[in-house]
């Protein structure tokens, strides 16, 4: 009997990017990733290199709360690019050590209990870096649609793994690329897909910015600033959950299914349980973005405090004015973005394009000096690149 072919991967990103599909119940399947944003980072970097928007040896910079930072650092490692991360206050010592060993430089924001303050600090810091070094390429994971590209490969895997018929995708809405990219690709392939987005309270993305959930900052979902990559018209249903409900879902996922996953996965798991009760004829695909390691102390060590998920139910609402914690659900039905979540062309959320394009000719010349020149020119360019990383070593 022939043995199945088992690949030997040429780089760790090939091993990490594909999910494991795990059945949680009859109609509910989990797509479990170690680092889901490897798809976004790899697809984006490949596209940028192929189109010449990024040159070999260039430095890529972006803001991240952790998962994307590691994915981007690994993509840069694979393709021989430099990486600079402006890290959220939530990036822990373990994550930071991984980034630095991979060759990334890291500027981390000071401690904060405010998602708004943390994100605004990071964006301001990136802008300041680009003013000093216009040869850096801002990845703009929040706004650049190039991050959708990698999820077409994931869609092909999901299509092959799941039975035909109606499909409900349930996932946390961060930058919008994972839920949106997967759903667009599946719908383009002819699959009937209902998209259910999961949000924390306090996020501007789907209009809950009027509520404060101090612990939601560790969930890694939602946003206090508009994200251009969130295509609101793709979403059929939206759930808003507070931290304690996300924690209940994460603890239940480990207790019931032995799956150790992060808070966004826990929130999606809780939502999918409820949705599957009402739509038992559709397969429900839960997106499990990462493992639970960075939530070990703040969530899993507190497992005795976790609410019983069997007792939790959302409040149905018909409009955003009715939104209330701790858990609400609304049929979004393809609505456009709420007023505070809209990104206007040339507006503040998109204005990184101005900083990125400023001094383009000089930037390209400096990058080419690093890549192509030798001796003194290469050393001088490398010394210049060290100026922007006061808290970490020189980019490699």
């Amino acid at each position: 009997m022939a043995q199945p072919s088992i690949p030997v991967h040429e780089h760790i990103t090939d091993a990490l990017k594909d999910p494991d599909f795990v059945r949680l119940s009859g109609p509910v399947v989990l797509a479990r990733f170690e680092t889901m944003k490897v798809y976004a980072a790899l697809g984006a970097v490949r596209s940028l290199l192929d189109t010449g928007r990024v040159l070999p040896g260039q430095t890529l910079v972006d803001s991240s709360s952790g998962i994307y930072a590691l994915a981007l650092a690994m993509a840069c490692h694979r393709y021989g690019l430099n990486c600079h991360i402006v890290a959220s206050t939530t990036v822990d010592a373990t994550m930071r050590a991984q980034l630095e060993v991979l060759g990334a430089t890291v500027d981390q924001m000071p401690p904060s209990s405010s998602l708004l303050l943390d994100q605004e600090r990071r964006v301001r810091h990136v802008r300041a870096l680009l003013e000093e070094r216009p040869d850096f390429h801002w990845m703009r994971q929040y706004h650049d649609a190039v991050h959708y590209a990698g999820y077409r490969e994931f869609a092909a895997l999901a299509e092959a793994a799941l039975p035909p018929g109606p499909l409900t995708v349930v996932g946390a809405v961060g930058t919008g690329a994972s839920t949106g990219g997967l759903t667009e690709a599946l719908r383009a392939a002819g699959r009937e897909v209902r998209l259910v987005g999961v949000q924390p309270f306090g996020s501007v993305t789907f209009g809950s910015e009027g509520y404060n959930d101090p612990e939601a900052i560790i969930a890694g979902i939602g946003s206090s600033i508009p994200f251009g990559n969130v295509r609101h018209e793709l979403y059929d249903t939206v759930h808003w959950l507070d931290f304690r409900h996300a924690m209940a879902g994460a603890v239940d996922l480990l207790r019931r299914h032995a799956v150790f996953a992060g808070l966004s996965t826990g929130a999606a798991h809780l939502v999918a349980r409820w949705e599957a009760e009402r739509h038992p004829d559709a397969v429900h695909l839960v997106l499990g973005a990462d493992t639970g390691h960075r939530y070990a102390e703040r969530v899993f060590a507190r497992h005795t405090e976790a609410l019983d998920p069997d007792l939790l139910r959302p409040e149905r609402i018909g409009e955003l004015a009715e939104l209330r914690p701790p858990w609400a659900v609304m049929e979004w039905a393809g609505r456009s973005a709420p007023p505070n979540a809209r990104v206007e062309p040339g507006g503040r959320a998109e204005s990184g394009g101005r900083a990125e394009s400023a001094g383009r000719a000089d930037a390209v010349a400096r990058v080419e000096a690093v890549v192509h020149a030798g001796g003194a020119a290469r050393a001088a360019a490398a010394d210049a690149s060290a100026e922007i990383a006061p808290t970490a070593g020189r980019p490699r």
Side-chain angles (χ1 to χ4, degrees):
M1 181 177 178
Q3 295 296 315
S5 176
I6 299 176
V8 176
H9 300 294
E10 297 301 321
H11 192 270
I12 187 62
T13 49
D14 287 327
L16 292 180
K17 63 182 177 62
D18 292 346
D20 297 309
F21 292 96
V22 181
R23 188 173 304 281
L24 302 181
S25 67
V28 181
V29 175
L30 171 70
R32 179 197 175 275
F33 291 87
E34 184 169 337
T35 309
M36 183 172 68
K37 288 198 175 181
V38 168
Y39 268 120
L42 280 179
V45 170
R46 279 197 301 261
S47 179
L48 292 169
L49 286 168
D50 289 346
T51 57
R53 290 176 61 193
V54 164
L55 299 177
Q58 197 167 354
T59 296
L60 309 185
V61 61
D62 213 347
S63 158
S64 174
S65 62
I67 303 175
Y68 180 78
L70 183 58
L72 182 60
M74 288 191 291
C76 288
H77 182 277
R78 176 172 185 167
Y79 290 109
L81 297 163
N82 298 318
C83 181
H84 187 86
I85 298 297
V86 177
S88 168
T89 184
T90 63
V91 172
D92 61 21
T94 301
M95 175 69 74
R96 179 162 180 159
Q98 290 181 75
L99 294 172
E100 292 175 350
V101 172
L102 281 167
T105 51
V106 182
D107 291 341
Q108 188 163 12
M109 297 300 99
S112 173
S113 61
S114 166
L115 177 63
L116 175 63
L117 180 60
D118 181 70
Q119 285 188 315
E120 288 189 343
R121 279 173 171 167
R122 283 186 273 146
V123 173
R124 285 200 304 269
H125 192 76
V126 171
R127 294 180 195 280
L129 287 174
L130 292 169
E131 289 293 329
E132 296 178 21
R133 294 298 305 269
D135 54 314
F136 281 20
H137 179 86
W138 187 4
M139 290 298 293
R140 301 173 76 243
Q141 65 154 324
Y142 304 146
H143 306 297
D144 194 334
V146 73
H147 291 88
Y148 271 56
Y151 290 104
R152 288 194 290 267
E153 185 179 348
F154 174 30
L157 292 177
E159 186 72 13
L162 302 174
L167 175 66
T168 297
V169 171
V170 183
V173 184
T175 66
S178 58
T179 49
L182 173 64
T183 298
E184 278 196 334
L186 287 171
R187 287 175 178 170
R191 172 79 76 147
E192 179 186 341
V193 180
R194 177 169 165 263
L195 180 55
V196 177
V198 180
Q199 281 277 282
F201 286 94
S203 170
V204 71
T205 305
F206 281 90
S208 68
E209 67 272 17
Y211 298 89
N212 182 35
D213 184 4
E215 292 189 281
I217 190 170
I218 72 172
I221 58 175
S223 174
S224 64
I225 58 178
F227 286 171
N229 268 344
V230 178
R231 300 175 185 174
H232 293 76
E233 68 278 4
L234 295 176
Y235 296 84
D236 298 288
T237 305
V238 176
H239 287 251
W240 295 263
L241 287 81
D242 70 1
F243 166 81
R244 288 180 60 79
H245 282 66
M247 176 180 172
V251 171
D252 182 70
L253 190 58
L254 180 57
R255 179 177 289 133
R256 193 182 301 259
H257 302 289
V259 175
F260 186 48
L263 272 176
S264 66
T265 308
H269 162 59
L270 187 64
V271 166
R273 281 178 40 137
W274 186 85
E275 288 284 347
E277 291 176 1
R278 282 141 192 83
H279 304 277
D281 295 333
V283 173
H284 288 65
L285 181 64
V286 178
L287 303 189
D290 64 344
T291 65
H293 291 89
R294 64 180 178 146
Y295 305 101
E297 293 185 7
R298 299 189 218 184
V299 174
F300 294 100
R302 297 166 52 188
H303 63 89
T304 57
E305 303 173 29
L307 302 173
D308 182 350
D310 291 333
L311 303 179
L312 305 178
R313 294 288 184 273
E315 178 182 351
R316 290 181 180 271
I317 62 172
E319 56 186 39
L320 288 174
E322 302 170 4
L323 186 62
R324 297 289 184 276
W327 182 4
V329 57
M330 176 177 168
E331 295 308 312
W332 192 259
R335 289 174 171 84
S336 59
N340 290 342
R342 293 172 188 165
V343 178
E344 302 298 336
R348 178 167 176 79
E350 291 289 327
S351 62
R354 297 198 298 271
E356 186 180 356
S357 62
R360 171 67 62 181
D362 177 62
V364 171
R366 293 171 71 180
V367 173
E368 289 176 341
V370 174
V371 177
H372 301 298
R378 184 185 297 274
D383 286 342
S385 72
E387 296 171 3
I388 56 83
T391 62
R394 177 176 301 169
R396 301 191 292 186

